[in-house]
Amino acid sequence: MAIKIHALLCLGLVLRLMSVASAISGTATYNTIYYPSACYGNEDEGVMIAAASDDLWDDGAACGRMYTVTCTGPTNQGVPQACRDQVTVKIVDRCQSPQCQATLDLSQEAFSVIADPNAGKITIDYNQ
């Protein structure tokens, strides 16, 4: 029995390491305007939401995708200890170029979970 538990623990550790290794680097900003969204119009999808940049948009196929986002650092020197935690967000909108300045444009609530909003823009790792 102890061998089975040990094997399961090792498997869990390996899967966690694979998840971290497969994370993609990018940047995140935040927005406070949630409606209407490109995916759901005026439908309320909660506040743990994000808009996808052109790189992730995939002609609208990104709608509804869930991403786990982890802050990895600030993009400016004004807030040296910007990072806090990680958050999972649902893609509900498109963040179009050229005004889009990040890979993911998070809701203010989601951004606040992972970083100090005073940072404005942060570096992230994310995976679906």
Side-chain angles (χ1 to χ4, degrees):
M1 180 70 171
I3 293 174
K4 287 182 181 179
I5 292 173
H6 182 71
L8 286 174
L9 288 173
C10 288
L11 178 61
L13 179 61
V14 167
L15 291 174
R16 176 71 181 141
L17 289 174
M18 286 174 52
S19 172
V20 170
S22 67
I24 302 165
S25 295
T27 56
T29 52
Y30 70 88
N31 199 336
T32 57
I33 301 170
Y34 308 147
Y35 308 106
S37 73
C39 299
Y40 301 101
N42 289 314
E43 199 173 306
D44 183 2
E45 293 297 317
V47 294
M48 293 304 153
I49 56 176
S53 65
D54 290 338
D55 290 342
L56 296 176
W57 183 243
D58 195 17
D59 291 324
C63 290
R65 287 183 185 156
M66 304 294 287
Y67 287 93
T68 300
V69 185
T70 305
C71 178
T72 58
T75 60
N76 62 58
Q77 299 303 314
V79 185
Q81 300 297 321
C83 295
R84 294 184 179 149
D85 204 353
Q86 72 177 18
V87 69
T88 299
V89 294
K90 179 179 182 178
I91 300 298
V92 300
D93 207 355
R94 181 179 185 184
C95 184
Q96 292 183 339
S97 295
Q99 65 269 25
C100 188
Q101 299 297 311
T103 310
L104 290 168
D105 192 25
L106 305 174
S107 65
Q108 185 174 7
E109 292 85 351
F111 191 97
S112 296
V113 169
I114 64 171
D116 182 340
N118 291 317
K121 184 176 184 179
I122 55 171
T123 57
I124 59 169
D125 282 342
Y126 65 95
N127 55 26
Q128 188 175 345

